[in-house]
Amino acid sequence: MKKTIKITQEVLNANQLFQDKGFGLGIKEFTDSNFPSRFNGVENVGSYYQTRTDLHEQDGFWDVEKLPLGENQKYGTIQRKGTENLYHYPLIDLTEQEIEAINLQKAYAPIQAEFDMYQKRKADGIDAYLLQSAKLRLAKLSGQITEAGHSAIEELLRPVRDEVVNGQWINAKAKLEAIGSENVGIDFYTELHTELTTYINENY
């Protein structure tokens, strides 16, 4: 159920519940979840005011009409529909300028979506690179690889790093495969290759 009432100063003065809830003057919509439990002193007569449908229309709680939008239309501000005991959202034709703006937005949407994906892949690439760098540094500090070995691996992987931190994961994978596992170690290579492959499969 959705009902709407125009809250005038008279209505507000007569209903402490509306005052307690901080309602202001103007048209307000109510649904089942927030319909007033009492109104104009009527409450709990057989049940709460919400069920007193015999009183709603005469008290000013009217139905709301919201017709589907046609092409190049928008909703106006809710208002009474003529002299009927009914509120509605009038349908307003868009101006030529509004139509043009919407068409431009639609045309730009795929570009924006692709841009957002590049931004995400770039941010993810920086995080991935920093994580692998941290692993390599810990391997050096724990003696798993030497200082010279650490520097050599970092230098070998520079092309991979440059691609992935720019969000170019597919290129990064191709660079890694060109380097091969011989000089960076099979375990590290496999881990890095798997990470790149998984990310590509999930995000491209």
Side-chain angles (χ1 to χ4, degrees):
M1 179 184 69
K2 179 176 285 189
K3 297 285 185 178
T4 298
I5 188 171
K6 184 175 183 178
I7 301 177
T8 62
Q9 190 62 54
E10 181 182 2
V11 169
L12 196 60
N13 291 340
N15 290 277
Q16 186 63 43
L17 177 63
F18 284 12
Q19 299 174 41
D20 294 342
K21 291 183 177 295
F23 292 162
L25 303 181
I27 297 174
K28 180 171 178 58
E29 291 185 62
F30 292 92
T31 62
D32 286 337
S33 62
N34 69 346
F35 202 81
S37 58
R38 57 187 185 276
F39 184 78
N40 286 353
V42 178
E43 63 171 313
N44 219 17
V45 181
S47 185
Y48 287 107
Y49 182 77
Q50 181 176 354
T51 64
R52 294 299 307 274
T53 55
D54 57 314
L55 300 176
H56 291 171
E57 184 171 338
Q58 70 183 45
D59 283 343
F61 287 95
W62 299 341
D63 291 331
V64 183
E65 178 184 81
K66 195 169 187 179
L67 300 175
L69 285 173
E71 186 177 9
N72 297 327
Q73 288 185 323
K74 65 181 178 181
Y75 291 114
T77 304
I78 189 171
Q79 58 186 252
R80 184 175 183 177
K81 187 174 183 180
T83 59
E84 298 181 54
N85 290 350
L86 178 70
Y87 288 100
H88 78 133
Y89 288 88
L91 302 179
I92 300 174
D93 291 333
L94 298 177
T95 65
E96 289 297 324
Q97 291 82 357
E98 289 173 324
I99 294 172
E100 183 179 354
I102 290 173
N103 289 336
L104 285 173
Q105 186 178 37
K106 289 179 179 178
Y108 185 71
I111 299 174
Q112 182 64 48
E114 187 65 17
F115 173 78
D116 292 342
M117 283 302 301
Y118 267 111
Q119 291 285 73
K120 179 182 184 299
R121 289 194 291 262
K122 185 175 180 179
D124 292 343
I126 292 172
D127 287 344
Y129 165 69
L130 292 176
L131 178 61
Q132 293 300 334
S133 292
K135 289 180 180 179
L136 275 176
R137 176 171 169 77
L138 288 177
K140 179 186 70 174
L141 294 175
S142 65
Q144 296 178 45
I145 58 176
T146 64
E147 178 80 35
H150 175 267
S151 297
I153 292 173
E154 285 276 22
E155 186 60 31
L156 280 170
L157 292 178
R158 186 184 299 275
V160 179
R161 177 203 66 189
D162 291 346
E163 294 291 351
V164 80
V165 298
N166 282 309
Q168 302 290 346
W169 289 71
I170 294 176
N171 290 348
K173 180 182 176 182
K175 298 284 187 181
L176 179 65
E177 290 173 345
I179 294 169
S181 62
E182 292 80 6
N183 295 316
V184 298
I186 185 62
D187 292 338
F188 183 71
Y189 175 90
T190 300
E191 178 183 343
L192 188 54
H193 191 274
T194 299
E195 180 180 6
L196 292 168
T197 301
T198 300
Y199 188 90
I200 292 167
N201 290 340
E202 293 177 353
N203 293 276
Y204 282 82

